[in-house]
Amino acid sequence: PEQFDSNSGGSADLGAQRWRSGARDGALAAWTTALEGGALEGGALEAGTDLPSAARARLAYNLGIAEYARGEPLRAVAWFEASLRAAPRSAPTREDLEIARAEAGLGPRRGDDLTATLIRVTSSFSRTEAEWFALFGTLLLVLAGLGEALRGGAGWRRLLLVAVVAQLAFFAPLARHVATADARPYMVVDPDGASARAEPDSGADQLGTIPAGSIVEYVDELPGWTKIRHEGDERWVEAAVLFDLRV
């Protein structure tokens, strides 16, 4: 798997060393420690400093590789999904995600319909990239507006119209980030799926089974149980069958 540069230090390097030596479980533990700690022990980042998104994405990718090697393709899928949320355009992660999904018995990640395509495109930008994209669109609109006001003419009016219409495309990625900023996506990682209950009790009425690999939205929690939203319905499932996709 990919790894940090040798001078980054801390648990990330320890994970790479253990992986190369064949200690896969130890590598998984070290990468998990680095990711959960939010900083590289002894590395360039000070204690308590959040890891940059690229580093978090690489750690999550490494963990996906480690889980796949351990014979846990469904958990590998979850780690690759988490990695893509930090680095949306990583081709290797997308390729390995499809391999892990196939191994886990899941279908393709997304369909090819128009809605899925739009979601895929607007999700392919990180938050920082989306902000720069929106700023570029704003500057283009201002430039076209100034040109039309100062110079006039049909050419500038057409450019201004194009700039106005293009704002939807320029701001769509940022709008998606803002809309999903508070979302807490989880994935069902139990191969048998998650039993959906009306109440947080194993004896409560079962309202169906949420398939393995499904991505659901967090709503609430109680000890050992999580209330989630799936396809518009709110249900209780055991917390142990869920994987938090935020890294």
Side-chain angles (χ1 to χ4, degrees), residues 171-184:
F171 276 86
L174 181 58
R176 178 169 176 77
H177 276 283
V178 171
T180 60
D182 296 327
R184 295 183 60 180

Side-chain angles (χ1 to χ4, degrees), residues 85-203:
R85 279 167 167 72
R89 294 198 303 278
S90 172
T93 305
R94 289 184 179 277
E95 292 171 1
D96 289 337
L97 171 59
E98 292 304 326
I99 293 173
R101 286 184 65 89
E103 182 70 19
L106 305 177
R109 185 169 184 257
R110 291 193 180 97
D112 294 324
D113 56 90
L114 179 59
T115 300
T117 300
L118 290 175
I119 292 175
R120 183 166 60 251
V121 171
T122 56
S123 300
S124 65
F125 295 87
S126 67
R127 176 62 184 256
T128 301
E129 291 170 338
E131 291 172 348
W132 279 106
F133 200 50
L135 177 61
F136 178 78
T138 301
L139 292 176
L140 179 62
L141 180 62
V142 170
L143 176 62
L146 287 174
E148 200 281 330
L150 298 177
R151 301 292 297 274
W156 280 106
R157 284 195 294 273
R158 283 194 295 269
L159 180 59
L160 178 60
L161 178 60
V162 169
V164 170
V165 173
Q167 294 309 297
L168 179 62
F170 282 119
F171 276 86
L174 181 58
R176 178 169 176 77
H177 276 283
V178 171
T180 60
D182 296 327
R184 295 183 60 180
Y186 283 71
M187 183 178 137
V188 177
V189 291
D190 190 312
D192 296 325
S195 296
R197 307 281 180 178
E199 301 293 337
D201 189 323
S202 57

